[in-house]
Amino acid sequence: MTDIPWLTLAIALPALGGLGVALLPREKAELAKRVTLGVTLATLVLVAAMASAFVPTSAERLQFTEVYPWIPRFGVSYAVGVDGIALLLILMSAVLVPLVVLAAWRENDDADDRGKGYFALILVLEAMMIGVFAATDVFLFYVFFEAMLIPVYFMIGRYGRGDGRRRAAVKFLLYSLFGGLLMLVAVIGVYVYGGTFLWSDLVGPEGGLAGLDTSVARWLFLGFFIAFAIKAPMWPLHTWLPSAAGSSRPGTAVLLVGVLDKVGTYGMLRYCLELFPEASAWFVWPVLVLSVISIVYGAILAIGQSDMLRLIAYTSVSHFGFITLGIFAMTSQGQSGASLYMVNHGFATGALFLVVGFLIARRGSAQIADYRGVQKVAPVLAGSFLVAGLAGLALPGLSPFVSEFLVFIGTFAAYPVPAVIAAIGVVLAALYILWMYQRTMTGPTPESLAKLRDLSKREVWAVAPLLALIVVFGVYPQPLLNVINPAVAETMRQVGTTDPAPEIDAAGLSAEGQEGETE
């Protein structure tokens, strides 16, 4: 099974499926949806089979590797491979996409092509998402990083909601292109100083970037970091996200926040830390400060939102602050928690966006003020909303709690002050989630909502797997951590950091020992 080109197949299948759906006649919109769902399910099966062949304890840093010359004159290769973190992010993407397709089945029926183009874009985007997590050539990573902008731009600008969707799409594009331009400069710099684009030849003490001048390394680090901070999104480069999420269809918002934004935090972990370990250590405090600001600022703005989609977008600004906090705490617990948070956030936020999307489809509004007493007429919908919301505030027993707890432990061990300040975000999360639930789901049901439909079977199938994963991994996260921890240990080794030693009062222990001997 090791000879099977798993990653190439996982990229090619949705890419070819997207091309096939795009070529279908316009009147075949229903067939396009069925083909899209079939391709996404086939991709999920393929990725699951690949995951079953992954060996977490393998001595090989990357598995399922493929390296082929692409542009030999410039040293560019088609090189793919995964460690445990990349594998789980690919698997998370493969789980979310078919659920988005199910949830969006009637979402774009009012479009000129009845949504056929939208479903083709979903498949193309899935191929790009798998590619960006699998790429092990820095230039190939950059190509996938930028190529993702194209389908998302059209998914927001053409198939979005509201009059401001085109403006939001342009804002998203401009922010992303600015970050991509800085990354391109840094990618070229990596090649000039490292002599290769292959990530495996660049990392480590004997890698191509060994001995790189300190000032050059810090500038190259910034080129990557700013691009990733925009994508993440991190304060103050986050302002494109609320506009994009608020103007998107909920299915688009799931992929935008649930998957695409993880490219930013994954890039920090994979490229910023491992290519530039000294620069990463030098920038630790500025990043920790920005992370804490993101946590508190995003939570405060979420409380004041009247639009549910924008509210969830601001909660994600806060959640991504926790992820970057864990990454730059430079401890194994912090980085394991951050990596796990990327996966769990995708499931929890994805479920919340989907449930809100079902509400919007029934009422035609994302405004909190337009809903009240929903739990009396749609109890399954309200229950799904509650579980997804409680996951968003990291309730114990649900999967994000484990991630957040590890981030706090890892950060407090090395940097207690940022960890304590970040705890404010936990309190604020309870406020914005429970207040939103109270205003929309409880109280007397107005006459305008008296006939609101509960979830259909198709909608239950779309959200139930995510709720199940949230509960299962909240109770038993060990299978995910077994895959993540070896990858984090290798990152810590490459960066040259170790966990802080416990503070022990040697004198006190000695005194206690002498007392024991006397007795």
Side-chain angles (χ1 to χ4, degrees):
M1 293 182 70
T2 56
D3 295 331
I4 299 175
W6 291 107
L7 292 168
T8 297
L9 291 174
I11 295 169
L13 181 58
L16 295 175
L19 178 61
V21 169
L23 293 176
L24 287 173
R26 181 173 296 185
E27 61 271 14
K28 297 291 185 180
E30 198 67 22
L31 176 61
K33 297 174 185 178
R34 296 180 185 278
V35 171
T36 301
L37 181 60
V39 171
T40 59
L41 289 174
T43 304
L44 174 57
V45 171
L46 179 65
V47 171
M50 177 181 71
S52 68
F54 184 83
V55 182
T57 57
S58 172
E60 297 292 331
R61 175 73 192 275
L62 299 174
Q63 298 182 43
F64 315 124
T65 55
E66 303 171 51
V67 182
Y68 307 105
W70 180 23
I71 312 175
R73 182 177 179 182
F74 298 104
V76 179
S77 304
Y78 171 81
V80 291
V82 293
D83 64 357
I85 298 170
L87 177 71
L88 289 182
L89 290 173
I90 291 173
L91 188 57
M92 177 196 71
S93 306
V95 168
L96 286 175
V97 174
L99 301 181
V100 166
V101 172
L102 269 180
W105 202 264
R106 301 297 176 194
E107 207 172 61
N108 288 283
D109 281 351
D110 56 343
D112 294 340
D113 59 359
R114 294 185 59 202
K116 180 177 74 72
Y118 181 78
F119 288 97
L121 290 171
I122 286 179
L123 288 173
V124 173
L125 180 58
E126 182 176 23
M128 301 298 176
M129 293 187 301
I130 294 173
V132 78
F133 291 127
T136 58
D137 179 281
V138 180
F139 187 82
L140 181 66
F141 173 84
Y142 169 77
V143 170
F144 280 122
F145 184 88
E146 291 289 83
M148 289 190 302
L149 305 182
I150 300 172
V152 177
Y153 172 80
F154 287 106
M155 290 169 74
I156 298 173
R158 181 176 180 185
Y159 297 99
R161 47 184 291 274
D163 296 333
R165 63 182 185 274
R166 291 182 177 83
R167 183 186 305 170
V170 170
K171 187 175 183 179
F172 159 78
L173 188 64
L174 290 177
Y175 267 75
S176 300
L177 287 177
F178 172 72
L181 180 62
L182 293 179
M183 185 194 291
L184 178 59
V185 174
V187 167
I188 295 172
V190 164
Y191 181 74
V192 169
Y193 289 99
T196 180
F197 285 117
L198 287 175
W199 178 83
S200 58
D201 291 342
L202 291 168
V203 298
E206 303 301 325
L209 294 178
L212 185 63
D213 181 76
T214 300
S215 61
V216 172
R218 291 174 183 176
W219 281 112
L220 294 178
F221 169 92
L222 279 178
F224 280 97
F225 179 80
I226 294 173
F228 295 145
I230 291 174
K231 187 74 74 177
M234 175 180 281
W235 183 91
L237 304 172
H238 69 285
T239 56
W240 63 269
L241 179 61
S243 300
S247 299
S248 298
R249 301 283 184 175
T252 303
V254 171
L255 299 179
L256 182 64
V257 179
V259 182
L260 265 71
D261 289 354
K262 306 301 189 307
V263 176
T265 47
Y266 171 77
M268 292 179 190
L269 193 60
R270 175 66 72 248
Y271 292 93
C272 288
L273 263 62
E274 297 207 32
L275 293 184
F276 315 106
E278 186 280 333
S280 299
W282 195 78
F283 279 104
V284 158
W285 269 107
V287 177
L288 292 180
V289 170
L290 291 177
S291 300
V292 170
I293 293 174
S294 295
I295 291 169
V296 178
Y297 176 84
I300 291 174
L301 287 192
I303 294 172
Q305 296 304 305
S306 58
D307 183 294
M308 286 185 284
L309 292 177
R310 290 179 64 89
L311 188 153
I312 301 171
Y314 275 113
T315 69
S316 293
V317 173
S318 183
H319 293 152
F320 276 97
F322 282 111
I323 296 174
T324 54
L325 188 72
I327 290 173
F328 280 86
M330 299 293 188
T331 62
S332 57
Q333 296 96 333
Q335 292 186 358
S336 291
S339 302
L340 186 61
Y341 213 143
M342 287 190 250
V343 178
N344 289 332
H345 177 268
F347 294 145
T349 303
L352 196 54
F353 268 124
L354 290 183
V355 175
V356 168
F358 299 149
L359 269 178
I360 295 173
R362 285 156 170 74
R363 186 75 167 84
S365 171
Q367 294 298 308
I368 294 175
D370 290 336
Y371 299 91
R372 194 178 181 191
V374 173
Q375 67 180 11
K376 294 182 179 179
V377 293
V380 177
L381 190 156
S384 301
F385 190 104
L386 180 61
V387 174
L390 292 177
L393 63 83
L395 183 76
L398 301 179
S399 58
F401 169 76
V402 182
S403 317
E404 206 164 277
F405 185 69
L406 286 173
V407 167
F408 275 120
I409 290 177
T411 305
F412 190 84
Y415 303 98
V417 174
V420 171
I421 299 174
I424 298 172
V426 178
V427 179
L428 296 177
L431 182 58
Y432 60 65
I433 289 293
L434 295 178
W435 194 28
M436 178 172 64
Y437 182 85
Q438 180 189 32
R439 287 184 288 171
T440 56
M441 299 293 150
T442 65
T445 307
E447 187 176 345
S448 59
L449 298 176
K451 296 183 179 179
L452 192 76
R453 293 180 294 106
D454 209 343
L455 295 185
S456 66
K457 290 183 179 180
R458 172 180 60 82
E459 292 167 334
V460 170
W461 275 106
V463 74
L466 295 179
L467 300 182
L469 289 170
I470 289 169
V471 174
V472 169
F473 290 132
V475 176
Y476 187 56
Q478 198 60 48
L480 300 182
L481 289 172
N482 286 342
V483 176
I484 289 172
N485 287 339
V488 168
E490 190 63 25
T491 298
M492 294 279 289
R493 188 186 71 81
Q494 294 282 7
V495 175
T497 59
T498 57
D499 290 328
E503 294 184 4
I504 300 175
D505 187 349
L509 287 177
S510 176
E512 290 178 6
Q514 291 175 2
E515 290 176 5
E517 290 177 3
T518 303
E519 293 174 358

